[in-house]
Amino acid sequence: MSSIEACLAGIARVNERILARPESERRKHIRERSVSVVVPDLATVFDMRLTLGGLVDVTHRPADRAAPSPQVRVTVDSADLVELAEDRMDYARALLTRRVRVDASVGDLLRMRRLI
């Protein structure tokens, strides 16, 4: 199990990868979306917005505190979140083995895959 701080650092690494993409590529694949990353083993949810400027307004809250439904919800254990962020786990394999679950439209799933 990783800590909230390690998860926040992982989210920051994913953001760096997004921002490392050329702006033209980001414009092609990013549609502004509300995103929640549910981390059951920490009973925490990380809420943020995906924008052309990357992941912004990243906050965390207890999982039992209600919030508006996001357009994209990712459920992943803390250790897997950190491994994905550090490129030690393949995103497609994590989806297939259900280590990561994504609730989003098909279009959002495809766009996310191209960014991450």
Side-chain angles (χ1 to χ4, degrees):
M1 178 185 327
S2 295
S3 66
I4 288 174
E5 291 76 21
C7 290
L8 285 167
I11 291 168
R13 276 191 224 65
V14 170
N15 190 45
E16 289 170 7
R17 280 204 307 265
I18 291 169
L19 293 174
R21 303 280 185 143
E23 186 175 340
S24 61
E25 188 176 336
R26 284 184 273 147
R27 285 189 185 285
K28 183 176 174 182
H29 298 295
I30 291 179
R31 302 294 177 268
E32 188 165 321
R33 295 287 185 258
S34 58
V35 178
S36 288
V37 179
V38 180
V39 185
D41 62 317
L42 295 179
T44 300
V45 178
F46 297 91
D47 296 309
M48 62 204 81
R49 293 207 54 81
L50 173 62
T51 69
L52 288 175
L55 298 170
V56 299
D57 302 328
V58 178
T59 61
H60 63 90
R61 62 181 166 83
D64 60 357
R65 194 172 88 211
S69 291
Q71 292 164 306
V72 177
R73 181 186 331 263
V74 179
T75 304
V76 60
D77 282 336
S78 60
D80 291 340
L81 172 62
V82 172
E83 284 190 37
L84 283 165
E86 294 176 351
D87 277 337
R88 292 185 286 145
M89 181 186 295
D90 180 65
Y91 177 74
R93 177 179 222 106
L95 279 173
L96 288 173
T97 59
R98 310 267 309 152
R99 291 178 76 172
V100 174
R101 289 186 312 277
V102 180
D103 298 310
S105 70
V106 173
D108 285 340
L109 283 172
L110 293 173
R111 281 191 285 280
M112 281 183 60
R113 175 63 187 121
R114 290 183 188 119
L115 287 171
I116 297 174

